[in-house]
């Protein structure tokens, strides 16, 4: 009997391990830090338009998203989601959530939050904290051009949409209303990203200053250079949005 039990135990352990691995894979979707497959859809970021318009007392458009508008929202979300906002265990399980727009009165930006999270989270060494900061800044720099390239295309198409409405025969009040609302949505989403980029630069600078105090390292120079590059891009975007939602978004060049 003891020999039989010893033979059964490894088998049971192997089965339990396989079941746990399968469950974990199903939850995470197979890619660490990515939204699991059953939560992804073509219009998964459509809520950005409804959130941003509602936050300033406007209504979202009922028009379907164009390919360019969908891409704008897909590229906007990674720049809107605060860095280090997902605990490590949630990233494994593909955590995804809607976020409040900056026009929500209760939303108060805390430039120290990123740095405090970076410093307080367990790390193997102080150099890994610098590496995390550098990676986050570099990711934002990499995302900058694709997003604003998409923004330029969307704004240019919205200009054509606006000019065409005067020549559309039998344009109903509802169609005109939805067209105007969609242009407002697009403009507000671009402004939202611009505000988030400005906030990120401020947060990264605060975090670097504290890291230098806590643990001076030569990596600080690399981080400072990357933050300066992101700050320069953010200060002179190819599409500039006015601070008030009712004003126009203009394209440069």
């Amino acid at each position: 009997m003891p020999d039989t039990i010893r033979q059964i135990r490894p088998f049971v352990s192997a089965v339990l391990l396989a079941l746990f691995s399968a469950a974990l894979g199903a939850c995470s979707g197979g890619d660490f830090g990515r939204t699991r497959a059953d939560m992804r859809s073509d219009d998964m970021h459509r809520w950005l338009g409804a959130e941003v318009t509602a936050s300033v007392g406007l209504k979202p458009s009922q028009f379907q998203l164009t390919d360019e508008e969908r891409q704008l929202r897909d590229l906007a979300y990674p720049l809107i989601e605060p860095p280090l906002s997902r605990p490590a265990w949630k990233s494994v399980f593909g955590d995804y959530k809607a976020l409040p727009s900056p026009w929500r009165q209760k939303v108060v930006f805390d430039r120290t939050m990123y740095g405090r999270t970076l410093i307080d989270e367990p790390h193997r060494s102080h150099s890994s904290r610098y590496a995390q900061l550098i990676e986050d800044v570099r990711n934002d720099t990499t995302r900058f051009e694709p997003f604003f390239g998409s923004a330029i295309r969307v704004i240019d198409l919205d200009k054509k949409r606006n000019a065409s409405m005067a020549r559309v025969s039998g344009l109903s009040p509802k169609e005109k209303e939805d067209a105007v609302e969609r242009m407002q949505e697009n403009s507000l989403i671009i402004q939202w990203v611009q505000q988030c980029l400005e906030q990120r630069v401020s947060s990264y600078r605060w975090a670097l200053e504290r890291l230098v105090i806590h643990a001076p390292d030569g990596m600080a120079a690399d981080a400072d250079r990357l933050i300066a590059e992101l700050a320069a891009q953010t200060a002179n975007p190819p599409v500039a949005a006015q601070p008030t939602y009712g004003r126009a978004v203009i394209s440069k060049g």
Side-chain angles (χ1 to χ4, degrees):
M1 181 65 69
D3 291 339
T4 302
I5 293 175
R6 281 195 295 268
Q7 292 174 358
I8 291 175
R9 282 176 178 171
F11 173 76
V12 173
S13 298
V15 171
L16 291 175
L17 179 60
L19 290 173
F20 176 77
S21 299
L24 179 59
C27 290
S28 66
D31 294 320
F32 288 94
R34 296 183 181 179
T35 303
R36 64 179 186 256
D38 62 343
M39 293 184 67
R40 291 197 296 265
S41 67
D42 287 344
D43 286 346
M44 66 181 291
H45 295 124
R46 183 186 178 93
W47 62 268
L48 288 172
E51 164 59 23
V52 79
T53 50
S55 69
V56 294
L58 300 175
K59 294 190 299 181
S61 173
Q62 298 304 307
F63 283 168
Q64 295 297 314
L65 293 175
T66 67
D67 290 342
E68 292 289 353
E69 289 168 344
R70 184 177 296 111
Q71 184 183 54
L72 179 77
R73 286 151 179 77
D74 290 343
L75 294 173
Y77 185 80
L79 292 169
I80 287 171
E81 183 184 39
L84 298 185
S85 61
R86 304 188 195 190
W89 68 269
K90 283 192 174 183
S91 294
V92 171
F93 285 86
D95 180 56
Y96 177 88
K97 61 182 179 181
L99 302 167
S101 88
W103 290 278
R104 294 288 183 189
Q105 291 184 358
K106 294 183 180 179
V107 176
V108 178
F109 170 61
D110 180 3
R111 70 187 294 255
T112 73
M113 182 176 296
Y114 172 84
R116 288 187 286 106
T117 302
L118 183 66
I119 293 170
D120 292 344
E121 280 188 348
H123 286 77
R124 289 185 299 175
S125 67
H126 69 270
S127 61
S128 64
R129 291 182 171 87
Y130 280 101
Q132 180 67 61
L133 173 60
I134 289 172
E135 180 182 359
D136 289 338
V137 179
R138 185 177 286 119
N139 285 341
D140 288 347
T141 303
T142 302
R143 294 175 181 131
F144 188 95
E145 186 174 344
F147 171 78
F148 281 103
S150 175
I152 289 172
R153 293 190 295 272
V154 168
I155 293 303
D156 286 345
L157 290 172
D158 276 347
K159 289 178 180 178
K160 294 176 182 178
R161 189 203 311 253
N162 189 47
S164 298
M165 284 196 293
R167 299 191 293 270
V168 174
S169 59
L171 182 68
S172 69
K174 176 58 177 171
E175 287 176 317
K176 182 176 181 180
E177 181 180 82
D178 278 323
V180 171
E181 288 167 351
R182 177 51 49 78
M183 290 186 287
Q184 290 173 331
E185 278 183 43
N186 294 335
S187 173
L188 285 165
I189 289 172
I190 295 169
Q191 293 180 46
W192 187 352
V193 170
Q194 287 179 326
Q195 289 191 40
C196 287
L197 282 169
E198 292 169 1
Q199 293 172 353
R200 283 173 185 250
V201 169
S202 179
S203 294
Y204 293 147
R205 282 177 169 157
W206 191 94
L208 179 58
E209 290 169 356
R210 266 58 191 184
L211 278 177
V212 170
I213 294 173
H214 283 250
D217 192 282
M219 297 175 71
D222 293 332
D224 185 57
R225 175 179 55 80
L226 288 171
I227 294 172
E229 290 177 5
L230 180 62
Q233 287 181 306
T234 301
N236 189 36
V239 177
Q242 298 295 331
T244 306
Y245 77 86
R247 299 179 185 176
V249 174
I250 58 173
S251 296
K252 293 184 178 181

